[in-house]
C-alpha cells in the first residue's frame, strides 16, 4: 500500500486509540472501586445503550473481516456464517436474557451457584469461560495483525507481531483502568462507527450495480472462478460426507454458542432489570440483523469487483476482502478517494477489534477473580481484593492471547470464532439450560455437563485438521490428526447435554427442590434479583 494509505490510516488509528483512552480515563475517575462498578458499570445503562454495546461486543473482526472474506471466496457457503450468527440471537432472546439477568450477579457461575454447591460449579464454569474467551480473543487479534500487515505492504510478519502485542497491551489498559463503564462506552462508539462504515460501503457497492442485486450476484459468480456453483450450496461444505458433517457441526455451534459466550452473558448485568435486558436484546438484534445483511452485500461485492482470486492472493483466508473492496470503491490504488475510504475502513475495523477484545478480556478476568479466586481461596486467606485480582488476570490473559494469536495468524478469523462458539455451546449452554429448567438437576450433573462438553471440544480441536495434518494447519509440519471435522460441535454439544444428564441420574445427592423453586420464581419474576 502507498505511503498515503499508511499515513492516513495510522492517523485514524491513533485518533480512535486516543478517544478510547480518554473514555477509559474518564471512566476511571468516576469509578467508585466497587466490584459492581468494575464488573457491571453500576448497572446504570439504558436498554438502548446496552443494546448498542451488545452489538458492539458481537459484531467483531470475525463479522466485519472474516464473514465477508468467506463469502468472497466461497459464495453461498460463506453466507451460512452470517445466518448462524444472527439466528443464535433468538435463543438468547427467548431462553437466556431475562432469566440470566434475574438469577445471576456478574458471571455465568452466579446462575449455577443459585441452586448448586458453590465451589465446584464456580471452578468448572470459570475454567470454561476463560477457555472460550481466550479462543475468541485469538480471533480478534489475528484480525488486527492481518489488517495492519495489509496496510504496511502485505505479508509483514513483524508488523503482525507488533500489532498483536499492541492490541494486547491496549486491552489490558482498558480493562484495568476503566472496567465495565469504559468498555461499554468504547463498544457504543465502535458500534456507531462500524454501522456507519458498513452502510457507506453497502450503498457504494449497490450503486456500482445500479441497485440490481441480481446483477451483483451474476457478476460475482462470473469472477469467482466457480461459475454458478458459487451461488449454490456445497463449494466449501459439500465435497464429501466429512465436509457436510462439518457444515452441520458449524451450524450447531453458531446457533447455540452465542447463549453461552461469557462476554455476552455479562452484558445483561449492566442494566437494572430483566425487562431492560430483554429490550437490550431487541435493540441488539435489530442492529446485528441489519449489519449481517450488509456483510452479505460486501462479500459478494468483493467477489464481483475484485474477483475471488485477487482476494485470495492478498490473504489466503480472505480476511482483507473488505479493506480491498473499499480501496476499489473509492477509485482504486493511488486515488485520493481510494486512499481515504481504505484508511477509514481499516480504522473502523481496528476500532472493532479493540472494542471486542476489551469486552472479552473483562469477562474472562471476572471469571478468574469472581469465580476461581473466590472459590479457591478462603475469604480469610485472600491477600487481594477481587478487583485487584481481575486487573492482574487481565494482564495474564493478554499475554496468553498474544502468544496463541501469533501461532494462529494465518487462519480465517470467522473460522476461529466458530471454534469458540463450539466450546461455548458444548460447555456453557447445556449447564445453563439444565440449571434454569430441570428441577432434578444436581451439582454433579452441572460439573459433568461443563467438563463433558469442554474437554471433548478442546481435545477434538487439537486432534482435528485445524491443528495438524494439512498445509493450512497451525502446525503444518506435524500430523496427529485423528478427528476428521474442523468444528467439534456435532460431537461435543450432545456430549455436554448427555454428561449433564448422566451426572444427575447417577448422583447420590438429592436435588434441592426448594432451591429450584426459589430460582424458578426469581428467574421468571425478578423477585430477589440483585
Amino acid at each position: 500500500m502507498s505511503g498515503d494509505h499508511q499515513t492516513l490510516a495510522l492517523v485514524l488509528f491513533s485518533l480512535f486509540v486516543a478517544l478510547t483512552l480518554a473514555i477509559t480515563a474518564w471512566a476511571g475517575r468516576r469509578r467508585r472501586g466497587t466490584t459492581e462498578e468494575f464488573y457491571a458499570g453500576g448497572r446504570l445503562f439504558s436498554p438502548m445503550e446496552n443494546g448498542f454495546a451488545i452489538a458492539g461486543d458481537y459484531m467483531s473482526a470475525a463479522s466485519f473481516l472474516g464473514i465477508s472474506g468467506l463469502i468472497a471466496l466461497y459464495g453461498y457457503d460463506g453466507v451460512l456464517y452470517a445466518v448462524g450468527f444472527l439466528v443464535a440471537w433468538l435463543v438468547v432472546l427467548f431462553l437466556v436474557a431475562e432469566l440470566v439477568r434475574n438469577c445471576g450477579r456478574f458471571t455465568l457461575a452466579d446462575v449455577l451457584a443459585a441452586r448448586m454447591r458453590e465451589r465446584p460449579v464456580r471452578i468448572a464454569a470459570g475454567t470454561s469461560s476463560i477457555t472460550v474467551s481466550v479462543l475468541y480473543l485469538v480471533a480478534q487479534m489475528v484480525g488486527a495483525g492481518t489488517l495492519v500487515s495489509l496496510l504496511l505492504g502485505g505479508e509483514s510478519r513483524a508488523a503482525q507481531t507488533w500489532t498483536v502485542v499492541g492490541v494486547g497491551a491496549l486491552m489490558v489498559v482498558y480493562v484495568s483502568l476503566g472496567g465495565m463503564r469504559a468498555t461499554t462506552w468504547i463498544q457504543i462508539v465502535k458500534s456507531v462507527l462500524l454501522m456507519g462504515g458498513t452502510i457507506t460501503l453497502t450503498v457504494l457497492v449497490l450503486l456500482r450495480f445500479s441497485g440490481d442485486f441480481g446483477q451483483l450476484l451474476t457478476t460475482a459468480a462470473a469472477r469467482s472462478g466457480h461459475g454458478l456453483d458459487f451461488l449454490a450450496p456445497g463449494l466449501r461444505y459439500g465435497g464429501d460426507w466429512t465436509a457436510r458433517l462439518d457444515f452441520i457441526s458449524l451450524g450447531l455451534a453458531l446457533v447455540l454458542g452465542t447463549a453461552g459466550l461469557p462476554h455476552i452473558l455479562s452484558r445483561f448485568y449492566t442494566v437494572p432489570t430483566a425487562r431492560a435486558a430483554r429490550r437490550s436484546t431487541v435493540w441488539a438484534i435489530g442492529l446485528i440483523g441489519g449489519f449481517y445483511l450488509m456483510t452479505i452485500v460486501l462479500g459478494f461485492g468483493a467477489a464481483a469487483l475484485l474477483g475471488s482470486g485477487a482476494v485470495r492472493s492478498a490473504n489466503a483466508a480472505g480476511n482483507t476482502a473488505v479493506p480491498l473492496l473499499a480501496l476499489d470503491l473509492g477509485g482504486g490504488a493511488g486515488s485520493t478517494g481510494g486512499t481515504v475510504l481504505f484508511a477509514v475502513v481499516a480504522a473502523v475495523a481496528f476500532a472493532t477489534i479493540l472494542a471486542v477484545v476489551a469486552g472479552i478480556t473483562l469477562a474472562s478476568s471476572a471469571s478468574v477473580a469472581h469465580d476461581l479466586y473466590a472459590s479457591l481461596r478462603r475469604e480469610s486467606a485472600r491477600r487481594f481484593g477481587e478487583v485487584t485480582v481481575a486487573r492482574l488476570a487481565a494482564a495474564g490473559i493478554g499475554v496468553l492471547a498474544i502468544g496463541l494469536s501469533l501461532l494462529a495468524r494465518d487462519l480465517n478469523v470467522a473460522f476461529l470464532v466458530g471454534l469458540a462458539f463450539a466450546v461455548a455451546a458444548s460447555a456453557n449452554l447445556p449447564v445453563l439450560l439444565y440449571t434454569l429448567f430441570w428441577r432434578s438437576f444436581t451439582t454433579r450433573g452441572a460439573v459433568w455437563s461443563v467438563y463433558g462438553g469442554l474437554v471433548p471440544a478442546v481435545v477434538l480441536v487439537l486432534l482435528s485438521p485445524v491443528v495438524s495434518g494439512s498445509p493450512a494447519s497451525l502446525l503444518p509440519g506435524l500430523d496427529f490428526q485423528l478427528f476428521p471435522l474442523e468444528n467439534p460441535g456435532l460431537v461435543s454439544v450432545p456430549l455436554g447435554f448427555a454428561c449433564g444428564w448422566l451426572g444427575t441420574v447417577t448422583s447420590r445427592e438429592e436435588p434441592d427442590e426448594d432451591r429450584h423453586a426459589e430460582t424458578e420464581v426469581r428467574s421468571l419474576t425478578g423477585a430477589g434479583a440483585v
Side-chain angles (χ1 to χ4, degrees), residues 140-187:
Q140 308 312 312
M141 296 167 75
V142 166
T146 301
L147 188 67
V148 175
S149 174
L150 173 68
L151 180 69
L152 297 181
E155 296 299 320
S156 173
R157 307 297 273 188
Q160 286 182 324
T161 299
W162 285 110
T163 300
V164 167
V165 173
V167 170
L170 282 171
M171 76 186 189
V172 173
V173 171
Y174 295 149
V175 172
S176 300
L177 299 183
M180 180 59 84
R181 188 187 295 271
T183 299
T184 299
W185 281 109
I186 290 169
Q187 288 161 345

Side-chain angles (χ1 to χ4, degrees), residues 303-372:
L305 297 176
L306 305 173
S308 298
V311 172
R312 186 176 283 106
S313 64
N315 180 268
N319 293 331
T320 57
V322 172
L324 292 175
L325 175 64
L327 182 64
D328 184 85
L329 291 171
S335 67
T336 302
T339 299
V340 171
L341 197 55
F342 176 91
V344 169
V345 168
V348 168
F350 196 69
T352 295
I353 292 164
L354 289 180
V356 173
V357 298
I360 301 168
T361 306
L362 180 59
S364 54
S365 62
S367 292
V368 171
H370 187 62
D371 299 330
L372 298 184

Side-chain angles (χ1 to χ4, degrees), residues 379-449:
E379 191 167 351
S380 58
R382 295 177 197 167
R383 298 178 57 189
F384 305 103
E386 271 193 32
V387 174
T388 301
V389 173
R391 290 178 179 141
L392 294 173
I397 289 166
V399 171
L400 177 61
I402 288 169
L404 292 175
S405 301
L406 295 178
L407 187 64
R409 69 178 83 187
D410 294 323
L411 295 182
N412 181 276
V413 289
F415 170 74
L416 287 170
V417 166
L419 297 182
F421 273 62
V423 177
S426 305
N428 291 348
L429 185 64
V431 70
L432 180 59
L433 295 182
Y434 277 146
T435 300
L436 292 173
F437 299 110
W438 189 11
R439 182 180 300 276
S440 301
F441 198 44
T442 64
T443 300
R444 175 192 277 189
V447 174
W448 282 29
S449 181

Side-chain angles (χ1 to χ4, degrees), residues 267-284:
R267 291 241 53 95
F268 298 128
Y269 301 124
T270 63
V271 290
T273 65
R275 182 170 182 266
R278 182 179 69 249
R279 292 175 61 198
S280 297
T281 306
V282 173
W283 271 101

Side-chain angles (χ1 to χ4, degrees), residues 71-73 219-221 223-224 230 298-308 311:
I71 294 172
L73 296 180
T219 308
R223 299 202 62 190
S224 68
F230 190 70
L298 298 185
F300 283 114
L305 297 176
L306 305 173
S308 298
V311 172

